[in-house]
Amino acid sequence: MTSRLFSFACAGFLLTALLIGGATREEVIAPDIVGLLALPLLGWAIWRLRDRPVERSERLAFAILAGCFLVGLIQLIPLPPGLWTALPGRGRIVDDLAAAGLTPGWAPISLRPQATVSALLCLIPAAALFLASRTLDQPGRRRLVLLILGVGIASAVVGGLQVVGGPDSPLRFYAVTNPEPAVGFFANRNHLASLFVCLVPFAALEALEAAARRPVGRVRIAIMLALVLLAGAGVLMTQSRAGALLLGLGLLGAVAMGWRAGLAKDRGRLVLAGGVLLLGLAAVSAPLVFGSVFDRLGGGFDTEIRIPAAQVASGAALTYAPFGSGLGSFVPIYMMHETSGSMQNTYVNHAHDDWLELLVETGLLGAAVMAAFLVWFGRTALRAWRQRSGPDASRGGGTGARAASLVIGLLLAHSLVDYPLRTPAMMCVFALACGLMLAPRAASADRAES
């Protein structure tokens, strides 16, 4: 009974995060609400994990999670003036203090300590959901996947109504948002595109689970295929170029999932179905792709915010290496390093390359944590894709881990040109996918509670 209640609590929290956690700006209070709601879930998850030995497959994952918090905490440790002023990039600040007649005092590595604390608090929802997923049984984990698919459907409906309603649509929930494309429950169309892209591997997982049943769940398979088509249409409504590219990669990954699921006698039909699906998406999307997305490409990348932002951020990363400027400090650091040639009439709140932005803020210590995550992810994903599995594996074995690896890979790729993981909503999807990469351990958790 306790396990079932915990499962519904996880579902309720994830639903809340997906519906109101779609913004990244500091003045939006909804992400703070998600963070507060994550605290009891985090405590409950830790309680369920008590007195349980950490499995070998979990050790590195838990260490990386701890490392994410440790990086920010180290940046908050006060340092004596002699040491702090000697840190790279602090000379300009020391000169400004001297010009104002002030003497440097004790200060942390972070140039914006309050923002660093906020950034650490933003990690709590992801940490809570990841730890919670380690104690959920397979039905509980599947319930969360179905919830994401359901919110994806609702987002497509809302997004369609937003496009029809135009810039003045009352369904655009944020004051600072894209006025014409679909944004769903997000403030940024690219982040909605990320959600739609993630639907493809999860829909493929559900379709493969239905195919493994006897009799075959043809209705469920048809629903999942329709959902993939809906996700494709949703990406097109966002007019996201990265989303369109990642959608194609996601579709190829979904076909690879079916190929590796052990459906040998159905491989021919699988390839045919995948080809038909791709052709159908191409036919449906061609007018919008060539009319909207390619029009944006025609404008050239020189007018984009990404290239100037990357140039400024790269210079800042070198300036503050190897310790970084502090989590959450990107905006003032960017403004300090802007040049007359890089200035635009657009407010730059992120680097539009999360890997680069993290390097600016966390330096080599953050880079080491990112490298450790890539090692864990690569090893775990490779193990899942190499595993020889039959159709039943789609019920929680190798196929589930493969779907999760695709979601993680797609989000990491999108983070090269945007910042989807800065939203609590997509961070929670990412954290859940990380949990799904590892086998469930609900039986142990239930024994610990009894």
Side-chain angles (χ1 to χ4, degrees):
M1 180 62 184
T2 304
S3 180
R4 187 174 180 83
L5 182 61
F6 181 74
S7 175
F8 281 108
C10 292
F13 170 74
L14 179 58
L15 177 61
T16 303
L18 291 172
L19 293 181
I20 70 172
T24 61
R25 288 179 176 266
E26 294 180 354
E27 62 268 22
V28 179
I29 194 173
D32 295 332
I33 296 175
V34 176
L36 290 175
L37 292 177
L39 290 174
L41 183 65
L42 176 64
W44 198 352
I46 293 174
W47 177 260
R48 285 170 59 85
L49 285 167
R50 75 191 190 285
D51 299 329
R52 296 173 53 205
V54 178
E55 292 184 354
R56 183 177 180 181
S57 60
E58 294 176 320
R59 292 173 186 169
L60 182 55
F62 286 169
I64 293 169
L65 180 60
C68 292
F69 286 93
L70 186 61
V71 169
L73 292 174
I74 290 176
Q75 292 183 330
L76 292 173
I77 298 175
L79 302 176
L83 182 57
W84 180 84
T85 56
L87 294 177
R90 272 63 179 181
R92 180 175 175 179
I93 299 174
V94 172
D95 292 340
D96 291 342
L97 290 174
L102 300 175
T103 302
W106 285 63
I109 292 175
S110 175
L111 297 176
R112 200 180 175 196
Q114 185 176 358
T116 301
V117 173
S118 297
L120 288 175
L121 294 177
C122 288
L123 292 175
I124 292 178
L129 199 56
F130 172 73
L131 294 178
S133 70
R134 301 304 308 126
T135 71
L136 289 174
D137 57 11
Q138 189 56 32
R141 289 151 67 103
R142 180 170 176 265
R143 186 177 293 114
L144 297 183
V145 171
L146 291 176
L147 178 62
I148 293 174
L149 295 176
V151 172
I153 294 173
S155 297
V157 174
V158 171
L161 294 174
Q162 290 169 339
V163 172
V164 172
D168 297 326
S169 171
L171 294 177
R172 297 185 185 275
F173 304 112
Y174 295 96
V176 180
T177 186
N178 300 112
E180 295 181 355
V183 292
F185 298 104
F186 291 85
N188 187 309
R189 63 176 175 188
N190 292 302
H191 303 160
L192 175 61
S194 280
L195 177 63
F196 285 140
V197 167
C198 292
L199 299 184
V200 176
F202 285 146
L205 175 62
E206 284 297 309
L208 290 171
E209 196 278 339
R213 291 180 177 272
R214 293 295 181 269
V216 175
R218 291 185 176 86
V219 174
R220 281 179 56 193
I221 294 175
I223 293 175
M224 290 303 111
L225 289 176
L227 180 55
V228 171
L229 289 170
L230 183 64
V235 169
L236 296 171
M237 287 191 296
T238 67
Q239 300 180 20
S240 170
R241 293 166 297 190
L245 176 60
L246 293 173
L247 177 67
L249 296 177
L251 289 169
L252 293 176
V255 173
M257 282 175 58
W259 190 275
R260 291 294 297 165
L263 305 176
K265 63 180 180 180
D266 292 328
R267 283 181 180 177
R269 281 180 286 179
L270 175 68
V271 174
L272 178 61
V276 170
L277 184 61
L278 288 172
L279 290 175
L281 279 172
V284 171
S285 64
L288 182 55
V289 170
F290 287 98
S292 300
V293 179
F294 284 178
D295 279 351
R296 296 181 63 223
L297 285 172
F301 285 101
D302 291 338
T303 59
E304 282 281 344
I305 191 175
R306 288 175 174 81
I307 292 180
Q311 293 172 342
V312 174
S314 298
L318 292 175
T319 299
Y320 295 97
F323 304 105
S325 60
L327 277 171
S329 65
F330 177 79
V331 171
I333 294 303
Y334 184 89
M335 292 179 176
M336 288 173 58
H337 289 79
E338 269 189 311
T339 63
S340 57
S342 65
M343 286 186 178
Q344 305 173 67
N345 60 354
T346 302
Y347 175 71
V348 180
N349 62 331
H350 289 288
H352 293 269
D353 180 345
D354 229 3
W355 298 83
L356 179 57
E357 184 169 337
L358 284 173
L359 190 60
V360 173
E361 295 180 340
T362 64
L364 293 183
L365 190 57
V369 175
M370 288 189 283
F373 174 80
L374 291 177
V375 169
W376 171 83
F377 170 64
R379 289 172 53 185
T380 309
L382 188 62
R383 188 181 308 117
W385 283 92
R386 281 182 170 179
Q387 180 181 344
R388 301 291 297 178
S389 56
D392 287 343
S394 62
R395 301 183 181 182
T399 307
R402 291 168 197 154
S405 70
L406 286 176
V407 169
I408 294 171
L410 291 169
L411 288 174
L412 291 178
H414 200 180
S415 295
L416 289 169
V417 293
D418 215 280
Y419 49 98
L421 297 181
R422 296 279 175 169
T423 65
M426 294 312 302
M427 191 185 296
C428 285
V429 173
F430 183 85
L432 175 62
C434 290
L436 295 178
M437 289 278 285
L438 302 172
R441 301 180 57 191
S444 298
D446 291 340
R447 283 196 298 269
E449 288 181 348
S450 60

